[in-house]
Amino acid sequence: MLTLSAAAGMAAAAPVPPTARGAAASPHRPLYGRIDTHHHAVPPKMRQWAVEQGMIPPTGGPDWAQWTLSSTLATMDANCIAVGVASAPVPPEVFADRETAESGVRVCNESLAELVRDHPTRFGFFANVAMLHPDLALEQAAYALDELGAHGVLLTTSAAGRYLGDRAFDPLLAELDRRGAVVFAHPFSPKGIVEVPGVADHVADFLLDTTRTALSLIAAGALDRYRRLSIILSHAGGFLPYIAGRAEGWGREDDDAPDPAKIRRALRRFYYDTALPMSPYATPTLLGAVGADRVLFGTDWPANPASEVARETARFDRDPGLNRREHEAIARDNALRLLPGLPGGRR
């Protein structure tokens, strides 16, 4: 995840005794055909652009900034990942200047498209757009999807304090809906939030931003207006599955809020990746709220280093809350159904 400071993976919860539902489950065999939908990349031209923008230093910097193709392929192979859907989340404010938005988005998207062209069996990509320039964002989405072969569009969960349910984003969402496109919603820290000393923003603040944008889409009726649009919520939807019951109560307390049934339907309109990460705590809640068919495998590489990717992938493989069908659906099959243009990988 591309933030202006170093990002690291959220530490997984310690194991607890398996639930009754998963007690009979056995460890699952690794799948070479895993498809990683929460997978970041910073090819050389993009990295040079980020250095020129002052986002990262010329050498060193956060884990994500030190991306290399060789380390990526090694990590993918070590964890039986056939395909990574590359993305490059950039804070929307970086693109506030229109000239920077035009040149920067082009560098990002063409760098990722080149990665896919050079390694067509190993990568897909989600394209960037300049969300703060609605007319430009429409042009960039069309170019990326029609000319560069993007498999979807990355939208940050908020831009200049506005969440995705804000009417300012309606023209872009309407066009993506017309195309039946996939949106990968990636968070940053909410604007104006007070930092907690010793607690990195990716531990909770990112999850709050994802939750807020999901609720904004529900409250604005965007999921009903844009029925052909598919939205992936990063990090298992943040807190959304966990607070689903509270969100249903919101509908009973406020005459202007969605009714509880609408909240339940909305939960199953989103897709969710496993980069929370999954754990004996998270898995039962997520599957209970949305079902395994709405969950996609994700590692958050290289914000999560290779050691963390290996640890979380191994935990996913032996998660007692998943049966074999659910495991294979999350690891591979759901992504191929959602993104049929991806290379299928091999088992």
Side-chain angles (χ1 to χ4, degrees), residues 1-8 38 40-42 46 49-50 55-56 62 64-65 87-95 108 127-132 154-164 169 184-195 199-214 232-235 237-239 300 303:
M1 57 190 77
L2 301 189
T3 63
L4 300 181
S5 60
H38 194 141
H40 302 313
V42 189
M46 188 191 305
W49 173 82
M55 294 177 62
I56 55 175
W64 61 258
S87 60
V90 177
E93 293 74 18
V94 172
F95 298 134
C108 291
N128 290 72
V129 297
M131 294 172 60
L132 297 179
L154 181 149
L155 298 180
T156 54
T157 48
S158 60
R162 293 178 173 180
Y163 288 90
L164 291 181
F169 302 120
F184 176 47
H186 193 282
F188 291 101
S189 293
K191 291 296 179 185
I193 198 163
V194 177
E195 293 185 5
V199 181
D201 55 5
H202 63 268
V203 175
D205 297 345
F206 281 30
L207 309 185
L208 176 59
D209 219 46
T210 297
T211 305
R212 287 170 67 91
T213 213
I232 304 169
L233 298 177
S234 295
H235 308 122
F239 305 127
D300 212 350

Side-chain angles (χ1 to χ4, degrees), residues 7-337:
M10 179 177 174
V16 297
T19 62
R21 176 181 177 279
S26 59
H28 312 291
R29 65 183 178 88
L31 290 173
Y32 186 81
R34 270 192 251 269
I35 295 176
D36 183 0
T37 61
H38 194 141
H39 181 102
H40 302 313
V42 189
K45 292 177 183 177
M46 188 191 305
R47 189 184 193 285
Q48 181 58 39
W49 173 82
V51 170
E52 292 170 356
Q53 297 303 309
M55 294 177 62
I56 55 175
T59 59
D63 287 338
W64 61 258
Q66 301 178 55
W67 181 93
T68 65
L69 178 61
S70 59
S71 64
T72 294
L73 292 175
T75 300
M76 292 170 68
D77 289 345
N79 294 280
C80 305
I81 297 169
V83 179
V85 188
S87 60
V90 177
E93 293 74 18
V94 172
F95 298 134
D97 173 75
R98 189 178 181 91
E99 184 176 343
T100 302
E102 291 175 338
S103 60
V105 168
R106 181 176 287 271
V107 168
C108 291
N109 291 345
E110 292 188 347
S111 293
L112 294 177
E114 182 177 3
L115 175 67
V116 175
R117 285 196 303 271
D118 291 345
H119 304 276
T121 65
R122 302 307 303 269
F123 296 103
F125 84 101
F126 293 129
N128 290 72
V129 297
M131 294 172 60
L132 297 179
H133 302 277
D135 60 324
L136 187 56
L138 290 172
E139 295 175 10
Q140 291 166 335
Y143 178 67
L145 294 168
D146 296 339
E147 304 297 330
L148 297 181
H151 296 87
V153 172
L154 181 149
L155 298 180
T156 54
T157 48
S158 60
R162 293 178 173 180
Y163 288 90
L164 291 181
D166 193 288
R167 288 287 185 169
F169 302 120
D170 271 2
L172 178 58
L173 295 182
E175 174 59 16
L176 295 175
D177 176 72
R178 185 186 70 79
R179 292 171 171 271
V182 174
V183 166
F184 176 47
H186 193 282
F188 291 101
S189 293
K191 291 296 179 185
I193 198 163
V194 177
E195 293 185 5
V196 179
V199 181
D201 55 5
H202 63 268
V203 175
D205 297 345
F206 281 30
L207 309 185
L208 176 59
D209 219 46
T210 297
T211 305
R212 287 170 67 91
T213 213
L215 292 174
S216 82
L217 287 163
I218 296 170
L223 300 180
D224 294 324
R225 290 197 304 278
Y226 308 126
R227 295 180 180 275
R228 300 185 66 235
L229 189 64
S230 298
I231 301 174
I232 304 169
L233 298 177
S234 295
H235 308 122
F239 305 127
L240 183 65
Y242 189 74
I243 65 162
R246 189 175 182 88
E248 290 178 11
W250 159 45
R252 286 188 289 269
E253 296 167 359
D254 186 342
D255 291 340
D256 294 329
D259 63 59
K262 186 174 182 179
I263 298 288
R264 288 191 289 272
R265 290 194 302 272
L267 286 172
R268 294 175 180 267
R269 276 277 282 112
F270 294 114
Y271 287 84
Y272 306 76
D273 70 43
T274 65
L276 182 61
M278 300 290 274
S279 72
Y281 308 124
T283 302
T285 299
L286 181 60
L287 266 59
V290 307
D293 290 343
R294 308 300 289 188
V295 184
L296 307 165
F297 181 74
T299 66
D300 212 350
W301 164 265
N304 270 348
S307 59
E308 189 73 9
V309 171
R311 180 162 46 249
E312 297 309 334
T313 300
R315 288 185 177 182
F316 169 72
D317 282 341
R318 60 175 183 264
D319 193 321
L322 297 172
N323 61 37
R324 181 175 293 278
R325 186 202 71 79
E326 292 167 337
H327 178 263
E328 295 197 5
I330 293 169
R332 181 173 187 274
D333 298 342
N334 294 344
L336 289 179
R337 187 179 69 253

